[in-house]
């Protein structure tokens, strides 16, 4: 398959492209060129600026791809900048479970409707609203605008909704915050100690998108789809594990540094749709404890 990846040289984009390479696909990676990679001549690299109409025109116009994987569609204007030029059979957008608003147990795809039948999305740049709102309208743009174009054949579209992505290469360092604060006995303020939260590991996050792009079992699917490791885990369990491994005690204080997962309610992300398409996610507890061992060092 001829696959264009917008972004993809960091975090879970790396295992995603590794998996596509393993499958023998022709891959073009379009980025601003700010990060190096280890793929050598296994991919074609193109410099492109997602915020520039002219750059998107130069990248896309006159080129057909079997699949376009858009890792950096942050807002609806990002979609608008490619609408006139995108020519592909299959478009896959990186989305987020944040657009569900209040997460809860067994959060399913239909808890957020971004279809053409839903309220019309609006054009927004990244700074125009909250992360949740701009990502919601980015997703509406693909289902309400991209899939209803009259001037060229419309591609099948998938939006992949992930909760917090974690792994050894997580540049947000949110999980590392808890590890470092316990190890160094630094005060932290946590407002959801016993809330059980959903996560997805970076390798599985990348591999799932590669699966959706190439697997025969997913060849007819179109629409939003959840991805997450099985189950959930509380911040208390994470902290207690780090305490047990380090021999240090967490310092919890209302005056401490606010923790990055504060405000997240107890939730699980339903992945039955992904399983119907043949992809199985692993349980989170086993995987997160192994990751914590790596972060503790």
């Amino acid at each position: 398959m001829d696959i264009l990846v917008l972004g993809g040289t960091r975090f879970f984009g790396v295992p995603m492209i590794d998996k596509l390479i393993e499958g023998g696909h022709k891959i073009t990676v379009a980025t601003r060129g700010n990060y190096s990679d280890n793929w050598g001549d296994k991919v074609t690299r193109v410099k492109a600026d997602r915020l520039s109409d002219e750059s998107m025109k130069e990248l896309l116009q006159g080129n057909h791809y079997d699949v376009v994987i858009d890792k950096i569609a942050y807002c609806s204007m990002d979609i608008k900048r490619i609408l006139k030029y995108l020519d592909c059979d299959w478009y896959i957008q990186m989305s987020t479970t944040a657009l569900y608003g209040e997460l809860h147990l067994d959060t399913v795809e239909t808890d957020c409707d971004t279809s053409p039948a839903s309220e019309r999305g609006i054009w927004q740049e990244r700074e125009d609203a909250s992360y949740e709102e701009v990502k919601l309208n980015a997703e509406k743009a693909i289902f309400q605008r991209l899939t209803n174009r009259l001037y060229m054949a419309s591609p099948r579209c998938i939006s992949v909704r992930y909760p917090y992505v974690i792994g050894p290469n997580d540049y947000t360092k949110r999980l590392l915050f808890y590890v470092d604060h316990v190890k160094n006995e630094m005060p932290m303020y946590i407002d959801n100690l016993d809330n059980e939260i959903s996560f997805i590991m970076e390798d599985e996050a990348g591999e799932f998108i590669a699966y959706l792009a190439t697997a025969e079992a997913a060849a007819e699917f179109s629409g939003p789809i959840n991805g997450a490791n099985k189950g959930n885990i509380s911040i208390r369990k994470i902290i207690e594990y780090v305490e047990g491994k380090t021999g240090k005690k967490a310092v919890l204080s209302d005056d401490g540094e606010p923790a990055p997962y504060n405000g997240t309610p107890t939730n699980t992300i339903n992945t039955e749709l992904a399983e119907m398409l043949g992809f199985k996610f692993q349980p989170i507890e086993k995987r997160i404890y192994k990751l914590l061992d790596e972060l503790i060092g």
Side-chain angles (χ1 to χ4, degrees):
M1 298 178 76
D2 192 353
I3 301 173
L4 171 66
V5 181
L6 300 174
T9 52
R10 286 203 299 171
F11 203 17
F12 61 92
V14 175
M16 179 189 76
I17 293 177
D18 286 345
K19 201 69 176 178
L20 294 173
I21 291 171
E22 183 182 311
H25 301 285
K26 179 183 176 183
I27 304 159
T28 301
V29 181
T31 71
R32 291 176 297 173
N34 292 339
Y35 299 95
S36 60
D37 63 71
N38 298 314
W39 297 310
D41 60 3
K42 296 175 183 177
V43 304
T44 299
R45 296 165 192 79
V46 178
K47 278 196 174 185
D49 181 359
R50 186 53 184 270
L51 301 181
S52 165
D53 293 289
E54 190 60 34
S55 182
M56 289 298 96
K57 179 180 180 180
E58 184 178 348
L59 172 67
L60 297 169
Q61 191 170 49
N63 295 317
H64 173 82
Y65 296 94
D66 297 313
V67 184
V68 171
I69 301 175
D70 195 342
K71 284 276 284 76
I72 49 176
Y74 196 100
C75 61
S76 55
M77 285 299 295
D78 287 345
I79 305 303
K80 190 172 186 179
R81 278 185 276 270
I82 66 173
L83 275 175
K84 292 181 181 179
Y85 317 114
L86 185 66
D87 183 7
C88 63
D89 299 323
W90 205 334
Y91 173 86
I92 301 176
Q93 178 196 66
M94 186 64 251
S95 190
T96 174
T97 59
L99 52 72
Y100 288 116
E102 190 72 11
L103 291 168
H104 53 81
L105 295 175
D106 198 35
T107 303
V108 297
E109 288 85 357
T110 52
D111 288 336
C112 179
D113 181 12
T114 53
S115 72
S118 68
E119 181 182 352
R120 190 73 160 173
I122 60 175
W123 298 119
Q124 292 175 318
E125 293 286 5
R126 302 178 182 205
E127 66 276 7
D128 289 344
S130 67
Y131 174 74
E132 294 82 356
E133 183 179 334
V134 295
K135 291 295 282 186
L136 175 65
N137 281 297
E139 192 172 302
K140 285 187 174 187
I142 71 164
F143 293 122
Q144 297 180 355
R145 315 277 186 158
L146 184 58
T147 59
N148 286 286
R149 296 179 304 179
L150 299 177
Y151 46 86
M152 68 168 60
S154 296
R156 293 197 304 277
C157 294
I158 296 176
S159 62
V160 185
R161 297 171 177 172
Y162 285 157
Y164 295 120
V165 185
I166 55 175
N169 301 301
D170 179 8
Y171 55 85
T172 72
K173 302 187 184 301
R174 288 178 292 207
L175 187 61
L176 184 61
F177 171 96
Y178 299 90
V179 173
D180 283 347
H181 278 67
V182 173
K183 285 176 65 175
N184 297 305
E185 297 179 292
M186 296 185 293
M188 52 183 163
Y189 168 64
I190 301 174
D191 67 4
N192 59 349
L193 195 60
D194 291 304
N195 291 2
E196 299 191 341
I197 299 172
S198 293
F199 295 93
I200 183 169
M201 298 295 299
E202 67 177 85
D203 57 341
E204 292 181 69
E207 290 167 8
F208 182 48
I209 297 176
Y211 181 86
L212 291 172
T214 61
E216 186 175 345
E220 298 304 318
F221 177 76
S222 186
I225 189 166
N226 289 336
N229 283 99
K230 284 291 186 183
N232 52 22
I233 189 167
S234 69
I235 301 300
R236 185 183 296 278
K237 284 186 178 180
I238 291 170
I239 288 174
E240 287 177 348
Y241 186 84
V242 178
E243 288 176 330
K245 287 289 184 174
T246 62
K248 301 292 183 66
K249 189 70 176 175
V251 180
L252 304 180
S253 168
D254 289 345
D255 298 322
E257 186 176 358
Y261 296 137
N262 279 359
T264 306
T266 291
N267 72 88
T268 52
I269 304 302
N270 183 299
T271 58
E272 290 180 7
L273 183 52
E275 291 168 10
M276 286 175 57
L277 296 180
F279 194 92
K280 305 293 184 183
F281 292 99
Q282 298 180 51
I284 189 58
E285 281 210 24
K286 180 179 179 180
R287 297 225 56 202
I288 201 171
Y289 290 147
K290 183 177 179 181
L291 172 59
L292 287 171
D293 287 338
E294 294 180 39
L295 295 178
I296 292 167

